[in-house]
Amino acid sequence: MQKGRILLSVTGFNPRRWMELLSVDREVVLEPDGPTDPSITYAVVWKQRPNVLARLPNLRAIFSIGAGVDHIFTDPGVPDVPIVRVVAENLTQYMTEYVVWRVLDHHRQGMLYRAQQRKKVWHEPPQRPANDISVGIMGLGQLGRAAAAALLALGFRVNGWGRTDRPMAGVTTFSGDGGLIPFLNATDILVVLLPLTPATQGIVNYWLLRELRRRNGLGGAVLINAGRGRLQRDADILRAIEDGTLKEASLDVFEVEPLPRTSPLWSHPRVFVTPHAAATSDPAHLTAPMLAQMDAYERGEPLQNVVDREAGY
Protein backbone atom coordinates (compact mmCIF):
# COMPACT_ATOMS: atom_id res chain seq x y z
CA MET A 1 0.00 0.00 0.00
CA GLN A 2 1.35 3.44 -0.94
CA LYS A 3 2.07 5.59 2.06
CA GLY A 4 0.27 8.90 2.26
CA ARG A 5 2.11 12.17 2.58
CA ILE A 6 2.97 14.06 5.77
CA LEU A 7 2.07 17.72 6.08
CA LEU A 8 4.72 19.52 8.16
CA SER A 9 3.06 22.73 9.35
CA VAL A 10 5.17 24.76 11.77
CA THR A 11 5.78 28.38 12.66
CA GLY A 12 8.54 29.99 14.67
CA PHE A 13 11.50 27.93 13.46
CA ASN A 14 13.15 26.49 10.34
CA PRO A 15 11.50 23.17 9.44
CA ARG A 16 14.39 21.94 7.25
CA ARG A 17 15.84 19.38 9.70
CA TRP A 18 12.39 18.02 10.59
CA MET A 19 11.57 17.66 6.90
CA GLU A 20 14.87 15.94 6.17
CA LEU A 21 14.42 13.31 8.87
CA LEU A 22 10.71 12.66 8.26
CA SER A 23 11.44 12.24 4.53
CA VAL A 24 13.47 9.07 5.10
CA ASP A 25 10.20 7.10 5.15
CA ARG A 26 7.49 9.26 3.58
CA GLU A 27 6.98 12.21 1.30
CA VAL A 28 6.76 15.42 3.33
CA VAL A 29 5.27 18.71 2.19
CA LEU A 30 5.05 22.14 3.79
CA GLU A 31 1.75 22.99 2.12
CA PRO A 32 -1.09 20.75 0.93
CA ASP A 33 -2.10 20.71 -2.72
CA GLY A 34 -5.19 22.76 -2.02
CA PRO A 35 -7.45 22.78 1.06
CA THR A 36 -8.84 19.28 0.35
CA ASP A 37 -5.63 17.49 -0.61
CA PRO A 38 -6.49 13.75 -0.42
CA SER A 39 -2.84 12.66 -0.31
CA ILE A 40 -2.19 13.98 3.22
CA THR A 41 -2.64 11.25 5.84
CA TYR A 42 -0.65 12.67 8.78
CA ALA A 43 0.23 16.14 10.04
CA VAL A 44 3.27 17.04 12.14
CA VAL A 45 2.66 20.47 13.60
CA TRP A 46 3.76 23.32 15.85
CA LYS A 47 1.42 26.31 15.89
CA GLN A 48 0.09 25.35 12.50
CA ARG A 49 -1.54 27.89 10.21
CA PRO A 50 -5.24 28.19 11.19
CA ASN A 51 -7.61 25.96 9.23
CA VAL A 52 -4.83 24.29 7.23
CA LEU A 53 -5.99 20.89 8.59
CA ALA A 54 -9.72 21.54 8.53
CA ARG A 55 -10.75 19.92 5.24
CA LEU A 56 -8.12 17.27 4.55
CA PRO A 57 -10.37 14.25 3.87
CA ASN A 58 -7.84 11.49 4.57
CA LEU A 59 -6.04 12.96 7.59
CA ARG A 60 -5.64 10.15 10.11
CA ALA A 61 -3.70 11.74 13.00
CA ILE A 62 -1.94 14.90 14.13
CA PHE A 63 1.47 14.77 15.84
CA SER A 64 2.68 17.63 18.03
CA ILE A 65 6.35 18.53 17.79
CA GLY A 66 6.40 19.81 21.39
CA ALA A 67 5.33 18.28 24.67
CA GLY A 68 2.42 20.71 24.91
CA VAL A 69 -0.64 20.52 22.68
CA ASP A 70 -2.44 23.73 23.60
CA HIS A 71 -1.06 25.33 20.42
CA ILE A 72 -3.09 22.86 18.37
CA PHE A 73 -6.36 23.73 20.06
CA THR A 74 -5.96 27.45 19.29
CA ASP A 75 -6.75 26.51 15.67
CA PRO A 76 -10.54 26.67 15.15
CA GLY A 77 -10.29 24.22 12.26
CA VAL A 78 -8.70 21.25 14.04
CA PRO A 79 -10.49 18.15 12.71
CA ASP A 80 -11.76 15.32 14.88
CA VAL A 81 -8.82 12.95 14.46
CA PRO A 82 -6.40 11.62 17.11
CA ILE A 83 -3.79 14.07 18.41
CA VAL A 84 -0.55 12.50 19.60
CA ARG A 85 1.70 14.06 22.24
CA VAL A 86 5.42 13.77 21.77
CA VAL A 87 7.03 11.49 24.36
CA ALA A 88 10.75 10.78 24.13
CA GLU A 89 13.45 9.80 26.59
CA ASN A 90 15.70 12.73 25.72
CA LEU A 91 12.87 15.24 26.19
CA THR A 92 12.18 13.78 29.64
CA GLN A 93 15.90 13.83 30.44
CA TYR A 94 16.22 17.49 29.42
CA MET A 95 13.32 18.50 31.63
CA THR A 96 14.61 16.48 34.58
CA GLU A 97 18.01 18.13 34.22
CA TYR A 98 16.43 21.59 34.17
CA VAL A 99 14.27 20.96 37.25
CA VAL A 100 17.12 19.44 39.25
CA TRP A 101 19.46 22.28 38.18
CA ARG A 102 17.06 24.99 39.27
CA VAL A 103 16.02 23.26 42.51
CA LEU A 104 19.67 22.74 43.49
CA ASP A 105 20.61 26.30 42.55
CA HIS A 106 17.89 27.74 44.78
CA HIS A 107 18.60 25.22 47.54
CA ARG A 108 22.36 25.96 47.50
CA GLN A 109 21.68 29.72 47.37
CA GLY A 110 23.11 30.33 43.93
CA MET A 111 21.55 33.77 43.56
CA LEU A 112 23.06 34.93 46.85
CA TYR A 113 26.53 33.65 45.95
CA ARG A 114 26.42 35.29 42.51
CA ALA A 115 25.45 38.59 44.14
CA GLN A 116 28.29 38.18 46.65
CA GLN A 117 30.76 37.46 43.86
CA ARG A 118 29.83 40.67 42.06
CA LYS A 119 30.48 42.60 45.30
CA LYS A 120 33.59 40.53 46.23
CA VAL A 121 31.99 39.44 49.50
CA TRP A 122 33.46 36.36 51.26
CA HIS A 123 30.62 35.04 53.42
CA GLU A 124 29.26 31.54 53.97
CA PRO A 125 25.56 31.53 54.93
CA PRO A 126 23.97 28.57 56.77
CA GLN A 127 23.09 25.62 54.51
CA ARG A 128 20.22 23.23 55.23
CA PRO A 129 20.22 19.57 54.13
CA ALA A 130 17.98 18.53 51.24
CA ASN A 131 15.67 16.56 53.51
CA ASP A 132 14.70 19.83 55.22
CA ILE A 133 13.30 21.14 51.94
CA SER A 134 9.96 20.17 50.40
CA VAL A 135 9.64 20.41 46.62
CA GLY A 136 6.10 20.43 45.29
CA ILE A 137 5.49 19.43 41.67
CA MET A 138 2.29 20.60 40.00
CA GLY A 139 1.70 18.04 37.25
CA LEU A 140 2.65 14.41 37.88
CA GLY A 141 2.68 13.27 34.28
CA GLN A 142 5.70 11.63 32.68
CA LEU A 143 7.87 14.75 33.02
CA GLY A 144 6.77 15.44 36.59
CA ARG A 145 7.30 11.87 37.74
CA ALA A 146 10.80 11.71 36.25
CA ALA A 147 11.75 14.97 37.98
CA ALA A 148 10.23 13.73 41.25
CA ALA A 149 12.29 10.53 41.11
CA ALA A 150 15.52 12.48 40.57
CA LEU A 151 14.75 14.84 43.46
CA LEU A 152 13.91 11.95 45.78
CA ALA A 153 17.27 10.40 44.95
CA LEU A 154 18.95 13.62 46.07
CA GLY A 155 17.17 13.49 49.42
CA PHE A 156 14.49 16.16 48.97
CA ARG A 157 11.00 15.66 50.31
CA VAL A 158 8.62 15.70 47.34
CA ASN A 159 4.92 16.52 47.07
CA GLY A 160 2.83 16.16 43.94
CA TRP A 161 -0.47 17.68 42.83
CA GLY A 162 -2.68 17.02 39.82
CA ARG A 163 -6.25 17.10 38.62
CA THR A 164 -6.65 13.44 39.61
CA ASP A 165 -4.78 11.39 42.18
CA ARG A 166 -1.68 9.67 40.77
CA PRO A 167 0.13 7.88 43.61
CA MET A 168 3.91 7.57 43.39
CA ALA A 169 6.23 5.80 45.81
CA GLY A 170 8.02 8.25 48.09
CA VAL A 171 5.88 11.23 47.00
CA THR A 172 3.07 12.74 49.08
CA THR A 173 0.31 13.27 46.54
CA PHE A 174 -2.64 15.64 46.51
CA SER A 175 -5.36 16.07 43.91
CA GLY A 176 -8.23 18.24 42.78
CA ASP A 177 -9.46 21.53 44.17
CA GLY A 178 -9.61 20.13 47.70
CA GLY A 179 -5.96 19.09 47.66
CA LEU A 180 -4.45 22.26 46.20
CA ILE A 181 -4.18 24.41 49.34
CA PRO A 182 -2.80 21.58 51.54
CA PHE A 183 -0.26 20.84 48.78
CA LEU A 184 0.87 24.47 48.60
CA ASN A 185 0.99 24.85 52.40
CA ALA A 186 3.45 21.92 52.54
CA THR A 187 5.70 23.20 49.72
CA ASP A 188 8.90 25.31 49.88
CA ILE A 189 9.91 25.12 46.20
CA LEU A 190 7.03 24.98 43.72
CA VAL A 191 7.81 23.35 40.35
CA VAL A 192 5.11 23.89 37.71
CA LEU A 193 4.89 21.25 34.95
CA LEU A 194 1.16 21.41 34.23
CA PRO A 195 -0.35 21.28 30.75
CA LEU A 196 -2.11 24.43 29.58
CA THR A 197 -5.89 24.00 29.49
CA PRO A 198 -8.82 26.37 30.11
CA ALA A 199 -8.82 25.12 33.72
CA THR A 200 -5.09 25.81 34.30
CA GLN A 201 -4.66 29.11 32.44
CA GLY A 202 -3.46 31.73 34.92
CA ILE A 203 -3.39 29.26 37.81
CA VAL A 204 0.01 30.51 39.00
CA ASN A 205 -1.25 33.82 40.34
CA TYR A 206 -0.63 35.92 43.42
CA TRP A 207 -3.28 34.18 45.51
CA LEU A 208 -1.85 30.75 44.77
CA LEU A 209 1.69 31.90 45.57
CA ARG A 210 0.55 33.29 48.94
CA GLU A 211 -0.26 29.73 50.05
CA LEU A 212 3.33 28.52 49.74
CA ARG A 213 5.31 27.90 52.91
CA ARG A 214 7.55 30.88 53.65
CA ARG A 215 8.94 29.86 57.04
CA ASN A 216 11.42 27.26 55.85
CA GLY A 217 15.09 26.38 55.55
CA LEU A 218 15.41 28.45 52.39
CA GLY A 219 14.31 31.69 53.98
CA GLY A 220 11.29 31.95 51.72
CA ALA A 221 9.22 30.30 49.02
CA VAL A 222 10.56 29.66 45.51
CA LEU A 223 8.78 29.28 42.16
CA ILE A 224 10.09 27.31 39.15
CA ASN A 225 7.89 27.28 36.03
CA ALA A 226 8.99 25.07 33.14
CA GLY A 227 5.45 24.22 31.96
CA ARG A 228 3.61 26.75 29.81
CA GLY A 229 3.81 30.53 29.93
CA ARG A 230 0.10 31.20 30.13
CA LEU A 231 -0.14 29.12 33.29
CA GLN A 232 1.28 32.15 35.12
CA ARG A 233 0.55 35.82 35.58
CA ASP A 234 3.89 37.58 35.13
CA ALA A 235 2.75 40.68 37.03
CA ASP A 236 1.61 38.55 39.97
CA ILE A 237 5.02 36.88 40.19
CA LEU A 238 6.73 40.27 40.28
CA ARG A 239 4.32 41.44 42.97
CA ALA A 240 4.97 38.30 45.02
CA ILE A 241 8.74 38.77 44.84
CA GLU A 242 8.55 42.45 45.69
CA ASP A 243 6.42 41.94 48.81
CA GLY A 244 8.27 38.86 50.06
CA THR A 245 5.61 36.28 49.19
CA LEU A 246 8.31 34.72 47.00
CA LYS A 247 12.01 34.71 47.76
CA GLU A 248 13.13 33.86 44.21
CA ALA A 249 11.88 32.48 40.90
CA SER A 250 13.26 30.56 37.92
CA LEU A 251 11.13 31.10 34.82
CA ASP A 252 11.57 29.30 31.51
CA VAL A 253 8.17 30.32 30.10
CA PHE A 254 6.19 33.55 29.98
CA GLU A 255 2.78 34.95 29.09
CA VAL A 256 4.26 36.52 25.95
CA GLU A 257 7.19 34.87 24.18
CA PRO A 258 9.81 35.96 23.38
CA LEU A 259 9.78 37.85 26.67
CA PRO A 260 9.51 41.55 25.74
CA ARG A 261 12.70 43.53 26.26
CA THR A 262 10.72 45.95 28.41
CA SER A 263 9.78 43.26 30.95
CA PRO A 264 11.22 43.91 34.43
CA LEU A 265 11.71 40.15 34.78
CA TRP A 266 14.87 40.41 32.63
CA SER A 267 16.78 42.48 35.15
CA HIS A 268 15.23 41.49 38.46
CA PRO A 269 18.01 40.28 40.80
CA ARG A 270 15.87 37.47 42.21
CA VAL A 271 14.52 36.12 38.92
CA PHE A 272 16.41 33.64 36.72
CA VAL A 273 15.27 33.74 33.07
CA THR A 274 15.76 31.12 30.35
CA PRO A 275 14.24 31.39 26.84
CA HIS A 276 11.79 28.44 26.85
CA ALA A 277 14.81 26.15 26.70
CA ALA A 278 14.18 23.66 29.53
CA ALA A 279 13.38 20.79 27.15
CA THR A 280 14.00 21.50 23.48
CA SER A 281 12.33 19.22 20.93
CA ASP A 282 15.17 17.52 19.05
CA PRO A 283 14.11 16.16 15.63
CA ALA A 284 16.90 13.58 15.71
CA HIS A 285 15.15 11.89 18.64
CA LEU A 286 11.50 12.60 17.85
CA THR A 287 10.98 11.87 14.17
CA ALA A 288 11.73 8.13 14.33
CA PRO A 289 9.05 7.44 17.00
CA MET A 290 6.53 9.46 14.95
CA LEU A 291 7.24 7.46 11.81
CA ALA A 292 7.10 4.20 13.76
CA GLN A 293 3.68 5.15 15.15
CA MET A 294 2.38 5.92 11.67
CA ASP A 295 3.54 2.53 10.39
CA ALA A 296 2.06 0.74 13.42
CA TYR A 297 -1.26 2.57 13.04
CA GLU A 298 -1.49 1.41 9.45
CA ARG A 299 -0.93 -2.16 10.63
CA GLY A 300 -3.97 -1.78 12.85
CA GLU A 301 -2.16 -1.07 16.11
CA PRO A 302 -3.42 1.72 18.44
CA LEU A 303 -1.66 5.07 18.63
CA GLN A 304 0.24 5.81 21.84
CA ASN A 305 0.14 9.00 23.92
CA VAL A 306 -3.13 10.19 22.43
CA VAL A 307 -4.51 13.46 23.83
CA ASP A 308 -7.71 13.37 25.82
CA ARG A 309 -9.60 16.19 24.09
CA GLU A 310 -11.95 16.72 27.02
CA ALA A 311 -9.05 17.14 29.47
CA GLY A 312 -6.97 19.09 26.95
CA TYR A 313 -3.79 17.00 27.32
Side-chain angles (χ1 to χ4, degrees):
M1 182 179 69
Q2 184 176 6
K3 294 181 176 181
R5 298 197 298 175
I6 296 173
L7 172 64
L8 178 63
S9 183
V10 298
T11 58
F13 61 88
N14 189 331
R16 183 186 61 81
R17 183 59 173 159
W18 289 90
M19 192 168 191
E20 177 184 302
L21 292 170
L22 288 168
S23 295
V24 301
D25 192 51
R26 294 171 183 261
E27 184 182 355
V28 182
V29 296
L30 297 177
E31 290 288 341
D33 295 336
T36 60
D37 185 348
S39 70
I40 303 296
T41 53
Y42 299 100
V44 175
V45 305
W46 178 256
K47 299 182 179 179
Q48 73 276 9
R49 179 164 53 81
N51 295 308
V52 70
L53 309 177
R55 297 167 58 195
L56 300 174
N58 295 319
L59 186 66
R60 304 186 69 179
I62 301 166
F63 290 79
S64 173
I65 278 176
V69 294
D70 50 283
H71 65 98
I72 295 176
F73 292 118
T74 62
D75 180 355
V78 175
D80 188 17
V81 299
I83 297 171
V84 180
R85 293 181 295 107
V86 64
V87 174
E89 288 185 8
N90 79 307
L91 199 64
T92 303
Q93 177 67 20
Y94 288 158
M95 184 60 79
T96 299
E97 290 172 0
Y98 176 87
V99 171
V100 170
W101 170 41
R102 299 317 309 147
V103 167
L104 284 175
D105 188 65
H106 291 290
H107 169 55
R108 295 303 302 262
Q109 306 189 64
M111 289 190 179
L112 174 62
Y113 283 121
R114 287 188 289 274
Q116 289 187 175
Q117 181 177 349
R118 288 191 295 270
K119 298 176 181 178
K120 301 178 182 178
V121 172
W122 187 272
H123 169 67
E124 181 183 359
Q127 180 64 49
R128 303 298 291 269
N131 61 12
D132 275 359
I133 307 302
S134 178
V135 182
I137 299 177
M138 292 185 80
L140 277 182
Q142 179 165 351
L143 299 178
R145 295 172 90 80
L151 292 168
L152 286 170
L154 289 169
F156 290 97
R157 289 181 283 123
V158 181
N159 303 322
W161 179 86
R163 183 175 63 92
T164 58
D165 190 30
R166 297 195 64 188
M168 178 177 176
V171 176
T172 304
T173 56
F174 305 79
S175 62
D177 293 343
L180 182 57
I181 299 302
F183 161 78
L184 296 167
N185 292 168
T187 290
D188 305 315
I189 301 176
L190 177 64
V191 177
V192 182
L193 294 176
L194 290 169
L196 179 62
T197 70
T200 61
Q201 184 167 338
I203 191 172
V204 183
N205 55 41
Y206 182 77
W207 307 109
L208 178 137
L209 297 172
R210 280 179 58 86
E211 297 295 339
L212 292 171
R213 188 163 58 189
R214 282 172 271 178
R215 288 179 170 269
N216 57 38
L218 295 171
V222 172
L223 169 66
I224 299 170
N225 187 5
R228 311 296 291 170
R230 286 187 292 149
L231 293 170
Q232 72 188 32
R233 302 293 186 206
D234 292 0
D236 285 14
I237 293 171
L238 280 165
R239 176 186 175 189
I241 289 176
E242 290 298 321
D243 72 9
T245 297
L246 281 178
K247 178 189 176 189
E248 297 168 349
S250 285
L251 304 175
D252 185 57
V253 292
F254 304 89
E255 286 185 86
V256 176
E257 295 182 1
L259 181 63
R261 294 175 64 86
T262 55
S263 172
L265 291 170
W266 279 114
S267 57
H268 200 290
R270 287 183 283 139
V271 178
F272 186 87
V273 170
T274 47
H276 204 145
T280 301
S281 296
D282 183 351
H285 290 88
L286 301 183
T287 51
M290 289 179 182
L291 292 170
Q293 282 234 60
M294 294 173 194
D295 289 342
Y297 195 44
E298 290 169 359
R299 292 194 301 268
E301 299 174 25
L303 292 167
Q304 305 298 312
N305 307 308
V306 175
V307 171
D308 179 337
R309 283 178 177 257
E310 184 175 344
Y313 57 90

